[in-house]
């Protein structure tokens, strides 16, 4: 987290406090500590105008963790029910994905791959292109993944173009309020 904060400073005003116990009850699972720290540090907003962070209790269902978990479950269940192949790691009984971010304007989502018997802090990142069947598994947590993407060191065919296209010298996190004028 320290590397991410140095690379991309968080908002000056701290985000609203999250009731993690309520959120985890609603999801039916504990959440990884790195995701919680990410939300507690940055809140509802977007990294480098590209990666939107999903947070509990967002003012918009598009950015709300619980709403997107429900929506993504329905969308993916429908796709897999019509024959689209499940990504590796999801064929195991009890495995599921929990969204934690999405790419602006692409339909792509970033998930945590939750596998039975695996502690949430060991869950890895799964990137799904959203408008097709391509998925990539990244054997790291969400904070490490963000640092790799923002620094251009992520080994990926899906999201690596961001560093080439944006090539920012200074990375920026903007709150949803700054971007959309929405309430925090």
């Amino acid at each position: 987290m320290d590397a991410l904060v140095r690379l991309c400073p968080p908002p000056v005003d701290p985000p609203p406090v999250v009731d993690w116990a309520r959120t985890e009850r609603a999801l039916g699972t504990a959440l990884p500590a790195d995701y919680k720290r990410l939300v507690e540090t940055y809140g509802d907003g977007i990294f480098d105008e590209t990666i939107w962070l999903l947070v509990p209790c967002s003012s918009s269902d598009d950015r709300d963790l619980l709403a997107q978990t429900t929506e993504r479950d329905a969308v993916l269940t429908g796709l897999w029910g019509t024959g689209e192949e499940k990504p590796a790691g999801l064929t195991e009984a009890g495995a599921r994905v929990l969204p934690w971010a999405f790419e602006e304007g692409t339909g792509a989502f970033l998930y945590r791959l939750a596998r039975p018997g695996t502690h949430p802090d060991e869950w890895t990142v799964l990137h799904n292109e959203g408008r097709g069947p391509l998925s990539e598994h990244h054997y790291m947590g969400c904070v490490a993944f963000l640092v790799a993407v923002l620094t251009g060191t992520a080994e990926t065919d899906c999201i690596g173009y961001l560093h080439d296209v944006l090539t920012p010298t200074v990375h920026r996190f903007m709150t949803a309020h700054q971007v959309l004028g929405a309430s925090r």
Side-chain angles (χ1 to χ4, degrees), residues 54 61-73 99 102 109 111:
L54 298 177
D61 282 353
D62 290 343
R63 301 179 319 273
D64 184 79
L65 175 66
L66 298 173
Q68 283 304 310
T69 298
T70 300
E71 182 177 309
R72 297 285 89 212
D73 284 348
F102 67 91
F109 271 81
Y111 298 93

Side-chain angles (χ1 to χ4, degrees), residues 12-65:
V12 173
D13 295 327
V17 174
V18 174
D19 182 343
W20 290 114
R22 183 179 144 271
T23 299
E24 291 173 334
R25 275 193 308 276
L27 292 170
T29 186
L31 291 167
D34 72 330
Y35 169 74
K36 291 179 187 180
R37 283 191 309 271
L38 186 61
V39 169
E40 290 167 350
T41 303
Y42 290 92
D44 192 357
I46 187 168
F47 290 88
D48 281 355
E49 300 178 4
T50 305
I51 299 175
W52 280 98
L53 181 60
L54 298 177
V55 299
C57 301
S58 173
S59 63
S60 168
D61 282 353
D62 290 343
R63 301 179 319 273
D64 184 79
L65 175 66

Side-chain angles (χ1 to χ4, degrees), residues 161-178:
Y161 73 91
L162 293 176
H163 190 73
D164 295 335
V165 171
L166 297 175
T167 58
T169 55
V170 175
H171 296 280
R172 185 171 180 195
F173 179 85
M174 294 178 65
T175 66
H177 179 72
Q178 290 170 313

